[in-house]
């Protein structure tokens, strides 16, 4: 089993810690960098109707009368404690609103990325094995065309065909709200509502994984160990999937981990089109309602998700491919 050296682990911890600090700092400064009154971003349009005494009281209530460095320290320590302020729209702590929505976004993104990885690897490996022939050209052309389609257009097309025309799946929401439904019926209802959003996000994310898998398998097919595998009489399927694909997974794994944060951010449009109750929908609602505390919290969650995905990828590289072990990494069993 691979384990990191203390030097490498310390360096990575410092890098990701500084990245998080920079993200929190930018998030804190957004209301101050934007034109207008910072109090407007905290309590909404009502700030313009306050008298001098009321305005001063509101500034003191939210700590906006303090020096900027004190406000920054309070925001930073609050973020570390999970205190992201109060949502103007919901009247609840932002952390509670986001925690209620985050699992649904993770479910949507997780299912879509898992399906996209499986299909992308299968299609990419098949395309690489048939390099230059009709199968390869057909798959490559179809995937490139699919990559050029905007997510909202794919979502509207699926709704028009499978919801409006065929009536197979619902076009919005997460539940039908059927009274007296059993636990199994409720779970099946959620899956039924997830089909079109998951299909849309899978379609949008499939192309990049396919291209990475195709290129990785192509670079592996000429290796000597594959020639030896063929000489031993292994079937084409065994050579392709057991050896070529298995030794080409590191770039795919890298793309998968990087796609997690990107997909959560990209789910804003898809969740909005399908009225899906996730983080993306929260961002849309916060922008419409000018709920800046909610927007700040959502952006911070997205940032932490991206950083976390990169950290997980970095930590697990040596377990996926021992060749990535470096800087004094030792092997223990």
């Amino acid at each position: 089993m691979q384990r990191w050296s203390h030097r490498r682990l310390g360096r990575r911890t410092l890098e990701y810690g500084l990245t998080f600090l920079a993200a929190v700092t930018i998030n804190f400064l957004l209301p101050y960098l934007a034109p207008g009154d910072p109090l407007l971003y905290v309590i909404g349009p009502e700030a313009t109707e306050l008298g001098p005494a009321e305005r001063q009281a509101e500034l003191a209530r939210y700590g906006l009368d303090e020096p900027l460095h004190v406000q920054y320290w309070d925001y930073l320590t609050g973020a570390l404690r999970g205190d992201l302020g109060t949502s103007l729209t919901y009247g609840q702590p932002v952390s509670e609103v986001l925690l209620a929505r985050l699992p649904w976004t993770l479910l949507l993104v997780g299912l879509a990325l898992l399906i996209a990885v499986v299909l992308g690897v299968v299609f990419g490996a098949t395309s690489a094995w048939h390099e230059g022939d009709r199968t390869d050209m057909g798959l490559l052309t179809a995937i490139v065309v699919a990559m050029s389609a905007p997510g909202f257009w794919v979502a509207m097309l699926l709704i028009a065909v499978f919801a409006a025309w065929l009536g197979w799946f619902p076009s919005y929401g997460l539940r039908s709200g059927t009274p007296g439904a059993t636990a199994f019926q409720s779970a099946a209802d959620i899956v039924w509502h997830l089909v079109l959003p998951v299909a849309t996000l899978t379609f949008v994310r499939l192309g990049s994984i396919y291209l990475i898998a195709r290129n990785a398998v192509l670079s592996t097919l000429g290796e000597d160990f594959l020639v030896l595998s063929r000489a031993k009489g292994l079937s084409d399927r065994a050579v392709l999937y057991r050896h070529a694909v298995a030794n080409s997974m590191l770039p795919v794994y890298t793309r998968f981990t990087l796609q997690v944060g990107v997909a959560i951010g990209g789910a804003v449009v898809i969740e909005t089109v399908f009225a899906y109750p996730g983080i993306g929908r929260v961002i849309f609602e916060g922008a419409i309602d000018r709920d800046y505390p909610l927007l700040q919290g959502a952006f911070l969650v997205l940032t932490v998700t991206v950083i976390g995905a990169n950290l997980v990828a970095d930590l697990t590289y040596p377990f996926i491919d021992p060749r990535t072990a470096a800087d004094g990494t030792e092997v223990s069993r």
Side-chain angles (χ1 to χ4, degrees), residues 257-310:
T257 54
L258 295 180
Q259 286 268 356
V260 172
V262 177
I264 291 178
V268 174
V269 173
I270 294 173
E271 290 185 2
T272 301
V273 172
F274 289 101
Y276 184 85
I279 294 292
R281 182 69 181 179
V282 163
I283 293 176
F284 174 77
E285 294 171 350
I288 295 297
D289 298 331
R290 297 172 63 88
D291 191 342
Y292 292 99
L294 185 60
L295 285 175
Q296 278 186 301
F299 291 149
L300 185 60
V301 168
L302 293 181
T303 302
V304 171
T305 303
V306 174
I307 294 174
N310 281 271

Side-chain angles (χ1 to χ4, degrees), residues 179-233:
T182 65
F184 177 79
Q185 291 171 332
S186 297
D189 187 38
I190 291 175
V191 172
W192 189 46
H193 282 77
L194 274 170
V195 171
L196 292 185
V198 168
T200 303
L201 192 55
T202 299
F203 191 88
V204 171
R205 296 297 165 193
L206 174 62
S208 61
I209 296 175
Y210 160 82
L211 292 176
I212 292 291
R214 179 180 182 275
N215 292 335
V217 174
L218 275 176
S219 64
T220 306
L221 287 177
E223 297 290 338
D224 293 339
F225 70 91
L226 289 184
V227 177
L228 180 60
S229 299
R230 290 193 183 96
K232 289 181 177 180

